[in-house]
Amino acid sequence: MANLINDISKILVSEDELREINQRLGAQITNDYAGKNLLVVGILKGSLYFMADLTRYIDLPLKLDFLAVSSYGGETRSSGVVKIIKDIDIPLEGYDVLLIEDILDSGRTLSYVTEMLRTRHANSISVCTLLDKPERRVVDLTPDYVGCDVPDEFVVGYGLDYDQKYRNLPYIGALKREIYENA
Ligand code: IMP
Ligand code: MG
């Protein structure tokens, strides 16, 4: 049985760096949302670990919910076609919604999701992404909170997958090209 690390060419964001990101963003969000009605919505499944760790650094009363959208499947590039697989349970009216995403690439997924949610009368809708690949942006979308930028490589771990695998890697790594080019 091969270990996960054998398929990683480089560690891009270590466990220590992830903790620092979560502490920094958590403090910022705590400050920005004081007195507001915070609803944190994780986009499944990629935001799973980030959401779990980040929200423990938000020192405010908040609610959690989830949204699931169609994923890449075995591909490494977004098709631009987004499908809602599981909607948010809580009606958004009166809430300050903070969407939690694993990575912002072309921006198509988040722009579709934020547009869809705009009709639901939330007080506000903001976007927090762990990773950003700004040079790959196709649609105009600027996140409110960013953990860090990553180069244009396919990355996995800490929630991010390739073909539904590698999510449980405890850090962010670049996937070896031969893994997805020969698939
Ligand atoms: P976008 O719609 O092109 O911005 O793609 C965003 C979605 O694609 C994210 O929610 C991820 O699930 C996925 N994605 C984009 N780049 C990567 C990557 O490097 N590794 C893993 N998933 C990625
Ligand atoms: Mg994904």
Side-chain angles (χ1 to χ4, degrees):
M1 246 313 249
N3 294 114
L4 291 181
I5 192 152
N6 297 335
D7 296 347
I8 300 303
S9 60
K10 192 169 44 169
I11 295 176
L12 294 177
V13 192
S14 70
E15 292 184 70
D16 283 347
E17 287 166 330
L18 287 168
R19 189 174 325 104
E20 284 164 24
I21 286 170
N22 286 321
Q23 285 171 341
R24 170 175 58 82
L25 293 180
Q28 223 177 313
I29 292 164
T30 301
N31 194 58
D32 294 351
Y33 283 84
K36 295 190 176 174
N37 194 16
L38 178 56
L39 175 62
V40 179
V41 175
I43 301 178
L44 293 173
K45 307 170 193 164
S47 69
L48 173 68
Y49 295 86
F50 177 42
M51 184 184 190
D53 287 341
L54 171 67
T55 51
R56 280 181 278 187
Y57 291 109
I58 303 175
D59 187 14
L60 292 173
L62 56 79
K63 293 183 185 176
L64 302 178
D65 209 333
F66 299 96
L67 181 70
V69 298
S70 57
S71 73
Y72 280 359
E75 312 279 312
T76 57
R77 291 289 181 235
S78 170
S79 62
V81 182
V82 181
K83 209 170 74 196
I84 306 295
I85 293 164
K86 185 230 167 280
D87 206 338
I88 305 168
D89 294 331
I90 301 176
L92 301 189
E93 186 152 8
Y95 284 102
D96 292 286
V97 177
L98 183 61
L99 289 170
I100 307 292
E101 174 67 304
D102 54 357
I103 187 165
L104 194 47
D105 190 38
S106 72
R108 287 189 181 106
T109 306
L110 267 178
S111 95
Y112 178 89
V113 167
T114 49
E115 282 314 304
M116 179 199 75
L117 298 181
R118 266 186 222 297
T119 59
R120 300 193 189 178
H121 311 291
N123 288 342
S124 64
I125 299 174
S126 298
V127 166
C128 174
T129 185
L130 173 63
L131 305 175
D132 193 5
K133 288 180 184 171
E135 74 263 38
R136 297 245 323 137
R137 200 76 84 257
V138 173
V139 297
D140 186 24
L141 197 143
T142 309
D144 301 276
Y145 304 93
V146 179
C148 67
D149 290 354
V150 283
D152 183 13
E153 287 180 70
F154 198 78
V155 300
V156 293
Y158 197 62
L160 288 102
D161 72 303
Y162 170 64
D163 204 11
Q164 298 300 327
K165 290 176 289 189
Y166 305 100
R167 293 193 197 276
N168 59 321
L169 197 70
Y171 48 80
I172 305 283
L175 190 63
K176 285 183 181 168
R177 299 194 80 89
E178 65 253 36
I179 306 287
Y180 55 91
E181 281 178 350
N182 298 336

